[in-house]
């Protein structure tokens, strides 16, 4: 069972790798040189400008070498300048290549799970043949037994099995997959641990979810979101603006040279760095937003990567971004807000009946009821001090199962007594049908239970209603904090539930959601979603059932559970491999973090330019207007060291910020205003101050190492 | 000293609030006009226009204005009201002047009192001032309507009518009456001959009696109110608001300064009122006000409170070692000798080029304000400001949104705002939004096009002129000062400001002038083209941008959306404007005013 062994070793652990590993770094380094090819570099216009500038500088150096005259400035300065210009391009390429490589490594670790596995395909005559997963086509039906690997994505059409999905989700606890209902989806590459199931294959070889996931991770490198395209456009426009600033500096510097020459009475026109083309190229490179231009692609890829590590497959990078913009989140009550298992908490007797009688009747009615609710009733009764024997179903009794039509269950005792428990209106109708008058006080009890957010069950025997069993649904631990957090993030939370209005209202209040949709049908859910969208809001929801599919498709962010039906997974634009209902919150955070990182680094990049001016402008005119030294607040060593320091800072800030780009700026649920204030201070004001320190430090180091004249 | 600017700001702020309510009512068509005016307005209404139709109507109207202006100026020699026999202007000057007035710039390469007849003043200058001033106003209104999400942006002709007749006309009438009371001429006569008590520059006749002086007069009080209200700035006299008949008293000076500020102030609030986002517009208003206060303070502090560095001298010689390959040892020493100060009493600050009739700080205050609001009227020589003080007028024109021209200033600010929101707005963890709408690639493309125009049109021609005879022959001083003159000329043209630094020889004058400024033709044509392009692109692109943004679905605000009516947003806006502004123009500022201030005295004569 080599395949199984291998499968269990991959999973989440493989995807939570360290930021830098030797292999990745090496591959990325190689790729950064490949990306220097002009046709590839052209895709990033900002860095293409740098490349052209570096090439131009190289031409100047070559000309100086061949003609033998370096002009008024030392050749070493130009060579150093050109090296750093090339390094700037390489650093930028490295950032992109590194993010891509990480994505590829991610993909490779997933692809390893996609080995050809043997499959038992059912022939038309219902006998089974041995094939490999490569031969499977959608519609084929395969049988998978304990210990075997599921050969492809599909739906369970027969049987129940526990499945180890760790190969896909990294979660080691097995999950139950069963035919019918909303837990019928299985993923290729996962292992059946017990029992035997029949699976109808829905995706042919190479089209499974894993394949799609791999394609997406690799495709994220090339697909740019509209937001990214718009930002790249703005960055290119900024590059153009700075070109407009830098080019006229040449004639302006020429004007200053002319003047100074006549002021000093020199025979030949004076030369300054202001009319030196490589130096002006350096100024241009320092001004254009190279930092964000270099990191933009990496930020986007890292966003997809973070989603993937949270076990979410987003069908596009845009889906992740949209998650950051979501205004309204629809949360299913059961499973998301509450634990879902309702437990009996109280027995409320009707007048003339005591609590013990109610408990006993309820326990008898539940004696053969194996649902968690039924078992919780028995357990609660035992806590009242009634012995296990008393609540065991007596010999000769027969159990009446719950059905959707009768909406009640119960027991027919050997003596002919019929005990029933069920939805109050169903029980009352049952009693009516038997010609019994409705008991007074039932309504009060029902309202009382509902007001506590509980579900009431009415218990009755042959002749009369006895009392109410209160079924409480417990909130998930920490759910109110998470919802409060969502509100802090500016999101409106809507609880979707099949409960009646009163019950829903109470739970909604306890959980702290902003609004709720009671007695929700799939149609009501869809209508609610459309109404929110008509108000201009973006809506996120999670779903698993086939009847969720229309709403999942309509939602701006539709997160389908992997355990859900194929229809749901196709309809959503993200799939959660963990099938964790609280994952929506994480998705929104990842989206916000992506947008925030992009905004922060853009702001930082532009703010950086201020300091570079203070270094470069006095240096440009040091020969013509030496008194401009007064605005050189950093007191840099010499004009050439000033320019080199600025260029070096501009280059090294790129690799220094790669970790920020990949990890993302931490998102804090503070509310937009506080967040903006904080980030403006850190990345805006910080972006103005940091380069002053950085450039000065680089200058000091160069002087200390005797690298500059 | 400070009382003048403070009083001006307080009065303007106080009046802009109620006025903005009136403006919003007028532009929304809620004003009950006099019956025959309403009838006219109704006649003009050719139906609702979409943004393209509106823009085409605006451009067509401009073309008519251009043709009309050309014809009137060419008719000057044969037209009536020309007893002094003013001849036809040089062709390049006509080109420059027609564009200048059509684009609300009023850059004057001529002197009104010497080159224009009253016919030209009345039939060329006056209508242009009313109509060109209305265009920016209309464009802002169209943008507001587009932001409201309407498919149509109103009717251009109706808007023109409303602005010109319901707003400019009554305001000009009131202002004109006050001016006449202050002593401004209002006559069809062209000159008055007076006998002077003392012998003036006219000299004496054979008998030793002082020759009579000829003083040019005309319908001055008709021109000046709209010159200021419309932030036109083109003076009746060449001396502009420094001329005693164009600005007779300290009172008229206060009125003049107030008139140019009031409408740009009001329009910001009108923007908020018409969008139903008054608080947002108050934040913008405060940002603009902060910048204006800063610039006024800068000018007054460096000019009125400090002596003229040309007179104070430098006590110690300064030596600078400059690396130079052709000098011995590779180092050349540039020495600035010590210069003795001149015995001039300077406790009132720099008085060179000031009209002292108005008070010591009036010139500096006026210089800062006229460049902020792109008016371009002047009551002092900007050329004579202390070099570093002149940074403020430069900055006003470079940013072009410190209230700015009526309508256009607000539009320019929107460009900075959109860029700021787009770059920094994502830091709240949402895609950038403005007015609840997502800012996408198309809107940004249009905004960036509009934003690009201004620096190209200033830096490009300024560079070309600085490095060639075209510029160096025209400047009165070589070196940084002359450089400042060239940059100022193009900044003023591109900002559609129209003020002059002076010192640059730009005047060709009448066509038969035997001795024109050497490069007047080049400057006429270059600045003419700059004015033309810098006017319409930055208006049309934002209208299109507003349309594309406005038609997007509006999302309601929540805790997670960036609020546009907070102090934080104000700082974001202020930061965006100052950082982008500094990045665009810091090198030029260093080469011009800063180098001059720090350099040797007298730098460049």
């Amino acid at each position: 069972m080599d395949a199984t062994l291998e499968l269990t070793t991959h999973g989440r652990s493989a995807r939570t790798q360290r930021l830098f590993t030797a292999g990745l770094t090496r591959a990325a380094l190689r790729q950064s040189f490949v990306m220097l090819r002009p046709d590839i570099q052209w895709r990033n216009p900002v860095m293409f400008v740098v490349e052209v500038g570096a090439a131009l500088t190289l031409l100047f150096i070559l000309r100086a070498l061949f003609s033998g005259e370096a002009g008024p400035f030392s050749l070493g300065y130009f060579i150093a300048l050109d090296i750093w210009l090339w390094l700037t391009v390489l650093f930028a390429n490295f950032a992109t290549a590194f993010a891509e490589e990480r994505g590829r490594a991610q993909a490779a670790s997933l692809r390893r799970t996609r080995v050809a596995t043997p499959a038992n395909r059912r022939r038309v005559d219902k006998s089974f043949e041995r094939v490999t997963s490569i031969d499977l086509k959608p519609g084929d039906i395969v049988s998978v037994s304990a210990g075997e690997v599921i050969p492809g994505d599909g739906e369970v059409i027969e049987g129940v099995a526990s499945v180890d999905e760790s190969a896909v989700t990294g979660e080691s606890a097995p999950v139950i997959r069963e035919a019918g209902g909303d837990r019928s989806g299985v993923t290729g590459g996962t292992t059946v641990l017990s029992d035997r199931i029949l699976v109808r294959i829905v995706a042919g070889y190479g089209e499974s979810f894993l394949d799609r996931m791999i394609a997406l991770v690799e495709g994220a490198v090339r697909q740019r979101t509209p937001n990214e395209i718009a930002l790249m456009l703005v960055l290119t426009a900024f590059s153009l603006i700075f070109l407009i600033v830098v080019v006229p500096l040449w004639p302006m510097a020429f004007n200053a040279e002319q003047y100074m020459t006549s002021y000093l009475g020199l025979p030949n026109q004076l030369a300054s760095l202001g009319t030196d083309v490589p130096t002006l190229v350096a100024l241009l490179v320092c001004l254009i937003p190279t930092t964000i231009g270099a990191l933009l692609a990496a930020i986007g890829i890292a966003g997809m990567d973070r989603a993937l590590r949270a076990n979410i497959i987003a069908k596009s990078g845009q889906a992740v971004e949209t998650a950051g913009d979501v205004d309204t989140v629809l949360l299913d009550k059961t499973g998301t807000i509450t634990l879902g298992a309702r437990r009996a908490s109280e027995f409320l007797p009707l007048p003339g009946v005591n609590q013990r009688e109610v408990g006993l009747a309820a326990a008898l009615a539940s004696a053969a009821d194996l649902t968690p609710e039924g078992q919780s009733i028995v357990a609660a009764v035992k806590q009242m001090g009634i012995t296990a024997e008393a609540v065991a179903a007596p010999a000769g009794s027969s159990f009446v199962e719950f059905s959707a039509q009768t909406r009640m269950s119960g027991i027919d005792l050997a003596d002919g007594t019929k005990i029933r428990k069920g939805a109050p209106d169903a029980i009352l109708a049952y009693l009516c049908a038997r010609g019994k008058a409705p008991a007074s006080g039932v309504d009060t009890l029902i309202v009382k239970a509902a007001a506590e957010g509980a579900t009431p069950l009415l218990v009755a025997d042959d002749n009369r209603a006895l009392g109410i069993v209160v079924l409480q649904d417990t909130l998930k631990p920490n759910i109110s904090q998470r919802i409060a957090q969502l509100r802090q993030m500016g999101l409106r939370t809507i609880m979707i539930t099949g409960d009646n209005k009163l019950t829903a209202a109470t739970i909604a209040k306890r959980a702290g959601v902003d609004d709720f949709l009671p007695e929700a049908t799939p149609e009501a859910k869809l209508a609610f979603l459309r109404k929110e969208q008509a108000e201009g809001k973006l809506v996120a929801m999670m779903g698993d059932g086939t009847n969720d599919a229309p709403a999942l498709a309509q939602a701006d962010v539709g997160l389908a559970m992997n355990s859900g039906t194929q229809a749901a997974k196709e309809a959503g634009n993200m799939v959660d491999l963990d099938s964790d209902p609280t994952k929506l919150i994480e998705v929104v955070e990842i989206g916000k973090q992506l947008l925030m990182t992009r905004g922060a680094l853009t702001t930082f990049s532009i703010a950086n330019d201020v300091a570079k001016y203070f270094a470069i402008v006095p240096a440009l005119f040091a020969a013509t207007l030496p008194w401009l030294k007064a605005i050189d607040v950093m007191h840099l060593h010499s004009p050439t060291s000033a320019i080199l320091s600025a260029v070096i800072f501009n280059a090294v800030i790129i690799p220094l910020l790669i970790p920020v780009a990949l990890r993302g700026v931490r998102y804090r649920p503070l509310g937009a205003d506080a967040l903006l204030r904080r980030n403006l201070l850190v990345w805006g004001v910080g972006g103005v101050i940091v380069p002053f320190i950085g450039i000065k430090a680089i200058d000091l180091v160069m002087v200390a190492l005797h690298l500059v004249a | 000293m400070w009382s003048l600017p403070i009083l001006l700001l307080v009065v303007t702020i106080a009046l802009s609030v109620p006025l903005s309510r009136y403006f919003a009512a007028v532009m929304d068509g809620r004003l009950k006009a006099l019956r025959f005016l309403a009838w006219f307005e109704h006649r003009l209404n050719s139906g609702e226009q979409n943004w393209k139709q509106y823009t085409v109507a605006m451009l067509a109207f401009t073309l008519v204005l251009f043709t009309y202006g050309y014809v009137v100026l060419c008719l000057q020699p044969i037209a009536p009201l020309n007893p002094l026999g003013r001849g036809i202007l040089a062709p390049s000057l006509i080109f420059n002047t027609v564009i200048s007035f059509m684009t609300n710039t009023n850059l004057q390469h001529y002197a009104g009192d010497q080159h224009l007849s009253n016919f030209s003043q009345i039939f060329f200058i006056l209508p242009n001032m009313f109509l060109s001033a209305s265009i920016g106003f209309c464009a802002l209104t169209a943008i507001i309507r587009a932001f409201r999400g309407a498919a149509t942006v109103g009717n251009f002709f109706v808007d023109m009518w409303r602005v010109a007749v319901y707003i400019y006309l009554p305001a000009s009438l009131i202002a004109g009456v006050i001016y006449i009371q202050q002593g401004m001429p209002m006559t069809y006569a062209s000159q008055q001959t007076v006998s002077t008590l003392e012998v003036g520059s006219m000299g004496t006749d054979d008998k030793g009696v002082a020759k009579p002086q000829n003083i040019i007069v005309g319908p001055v009080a008709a021109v000046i109110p709209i010159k200021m209200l419309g932030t036109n700035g083109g003076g009746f006299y060449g001396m502009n608001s420094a001329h005693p008949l164009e600005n007779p008293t300290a009172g008229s000076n206060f009125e003049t300064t107030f008139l140019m500020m009031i409408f740009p102030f009001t329009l910001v609030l009108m923007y908020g009122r018409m969008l139903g986002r008054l608080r947002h517009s108050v934040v913008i208003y405060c940002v603009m006000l902060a910048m204006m206060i800063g610039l006024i303070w800068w000018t007054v502090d460096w000019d009125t409170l400090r002596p003229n560095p040309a007179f104070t001298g430098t006590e110690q010689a300064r030596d600078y070692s400059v690396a130079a390959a052709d000098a011995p040892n590779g180092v050349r020493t540039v020495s600035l000798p010590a210069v003795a100060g001149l015995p001039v009493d300077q406790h009132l600050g720099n008085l060179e080029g000031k009209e002292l009739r108005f008070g010591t700080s009036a010139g500096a205050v006026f210089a800062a304000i006229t460049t902020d609001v792109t008016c371009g009227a002047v009551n002092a020589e900007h050329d004579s400001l202390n070099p570093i003080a002149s940074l403020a007028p430069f900055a006003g024109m470079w940013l072009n949104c410190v209230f700015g021209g009526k309508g256009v200033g607000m539009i320019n600010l929107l460009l900075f705002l959109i860029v700021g929101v787009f770059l920094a707005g994502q830091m709240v963890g949402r895609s950038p939004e403005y007015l609840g709408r997502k800012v996408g690639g198309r809107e940004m493309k249009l905004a960036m096009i509009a934003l690009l125009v201004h620096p190209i049109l200033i830096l490009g021609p300024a560079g070309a002129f600085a490095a060639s005879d075209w510029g160096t022959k025209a400047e009165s001083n070589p070196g940084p000062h002359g450089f400042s003159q060239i940059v100022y000329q193009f900044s003023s043209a591109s900002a559609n400001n129209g003020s002059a630094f002076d010192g640059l020889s730009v005047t060709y004058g009448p066509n038969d002038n035997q001795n024109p400024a050497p490069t007047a033709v080049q400057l006429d044509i270059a600045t003419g083209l700059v004015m033309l392009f810098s006017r319409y692109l930055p208006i049309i692109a934002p209208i299109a941008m507003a349309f594309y943004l406005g038609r997007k679905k509006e999302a309601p605000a929540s805790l997670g959306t960036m609020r546009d009516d907070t102090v934080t947003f104000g700082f974001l806006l202020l930061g965006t404007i100052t950082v982008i502004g500094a990045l665009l123009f810091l090198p030029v500022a260093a080469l011009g005013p800063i180098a001059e201030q720090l350099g040797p005295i007298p730098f460049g004569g």
Side-chain angles (χ1 to χ4, degrees), chain A residues 71-73 226-227 229-235 237-238 240-242 244-246 248-256 258-260 263-264 266 268-271 283 287 321 324-327 487-491 533-538 591-603 606-607 609-610 613-614 617 621-631 667 670-673 675-677 679-680 683-684 688, chain B residues 318 320-326 332-337 419 422-433 436 438-442 444-446 448-449 451-452 455-460 462-468 472 475 478-480 482-483 486-487 553-556 558-563 566-569 571-572 579-580 582-588 590-591 594-605:
Chain A
F73 311 102
N227 258 337
I229 294 170
L231 183 55
M232 196 36 114
L233 188 140
V234 172
L235 296 180
F238 263 103
L240 193 61
I241 288 184
F242 288 123
I244 292 163
V245 172
V246 170
L249 270 183
W250 193 95
M252 289 173 183
F254 183 80
N255 170 290
Q258 270 185 324
Y259 173 71
M260 202 57 188
Y263 180 83
L264 294 173
L266 299 175
N268 304 317
Q269 174 139 346
L270 204 137
L283 173 61
L287 291 180
E321 275 181 24
D325 286 343
V326 161
D327 300 286
R487 183 170 309 108
Q488 282 276 296
M489 288 157 75
L491 275 77
Q533 286 176 330
E535 288 169 20
K537 295 177 189 159
L538 297 187
K592 287 202 177 292
Q593 197 179 24
L594 169 64
L595 293 166
M596 236 173 65
T597 309
R598 202 181 279 156
L601 291 183
T602 311
T603 309
I606 304 274
D609 284 357
V610 177
Y613 262 144
F614 281 90
V617 168
F621 305 107
T624 44
L625 307 165
W627 39 90
L628 280 182
K629 183 82 184 153
I631 60 172
Y667 177 78
L670 291 174
D673 211 40
L675 209 55
L676 183 66
R677 204 166 348 164
N679 283 330
L680 269 183
W683 299 99
V688 173
Chain B
R318 286 178 286 168
Y320 294 93
S321 308
V322 176
D326 53 345
R332 176 186 299 125
T333 306
V334 176
S335 5
L336 310 185
V419 171
F422 187 81
L423 296 181
Q426 295 193 35
M427 287 198 294
V428 302
R430 284 174 70 96
S431 311
E433 296 165 303
K438 299 245 176 294
V439 183
R442 199 206 295 250
M444 286 315 293
K445 199 188 293 172
L446 290 162
M448 292 313 281
I449 289 174
L451 208 59
L452 271 171
I456 293 186
L457 290 179
I458 292 176
L459 300 175
F465 274 74
S468 66
T472 46
E475 56 190 35
F483 180 76
I486 296 169
V487 173
K553 210 184 273 176
E554 185 181 351
S558 72
L559 250 182
T561 46
M562 185 169 77
R563 285 179 56 187
T566 58
V567 178
T568 315
F569 184 81
F571 276 102
L572 167 67
V579 168
I580 295 184
L583 292 181
L584 293 177
F585 297 106
L586 204 84
V588 209
L591 280 172
I594 297 177
E596 189 186 352
Q597 180 84 18
L598 296 170
I601 294 164
F603 194 105

Side-chain angles (χ1 to χ4, degrees), chain A residues 12-58:
Chain A
R12 230 176 180 176
S13 60
R15 262 173 267 144
T16 45
Q17 50 193 280
R18 277 172 48 230
L19 201 52
F20 292 93
T21 62
L24 274 184
T25 314
R26 222 174 302 124
L29 274 176
R30 204 175 317 117
Q31 183 62 18
S32 4
F33 282 94
V34 175
M35 284 164 73
L36 285 177
R37 255 175 50 196
D39 58 326
I40 303 179
Q41 199 73 61
W42 171 246
R43 282 184 220 148
N44 185 340
V46 178
M47 296 321 293
F48 184 73
V49 171
V50 183
E51 188 177 39
V52 170
L56 197 65
T57 307
L58 190 62

Side-chain angles (χ1 to χ4, degrees), chain B residues 17 62 68 113 126 136 173 195-196 228 234 241 258 273 349 376 472 495-496 543 575 598 604:
Chain B
V17 177
T62 305
Y68 169 79
D113 47 342
L126 206 51
L173 280 173
S195 312
T196 53
M228 306 314 299
S241 290
F258 161 76
R273 279 191 201 281
T472 46
N496 289 152
I543 294 180
L598 296 170

Side-chain angles (χ1 to χ4, degrees), chain B residues 366-442:
Chain B
F366 201 99
I369 295 175
T370 191
T371 43
D372 287 347
V373 302
T374 79
C375 177
V378 289
N379 75 353
E381 291 272 331
H382 293 189
D383 189 51
S384 298
L385 292 171
N386 283 338
I388 199 88
S390 70
L391 258 187
F394 271 115
M397 296 187 294
W398 289 337
L399 300 177
N400 212 5
C401 63
V402 186
F403 290 104
K406 334 120 306 294
V408 215
M410 186 62 214
I411 295 174
N412 285 327
L413 186 115
L414 284 177
L415 298 176
F416 281 108
L417 189 147
I418 287 280
V419 171
V421 161
F422 187 81
L423 296 181
Q426 295 193 35
M427 287 198 294
V428 302
R430 284 174 70 96
S431 311
E433 296 165 303
Y434 181 54
L435 300 176
R437 292 156 174 118
K438 299 245 176 294
V439 183
R442 199 206 295 250

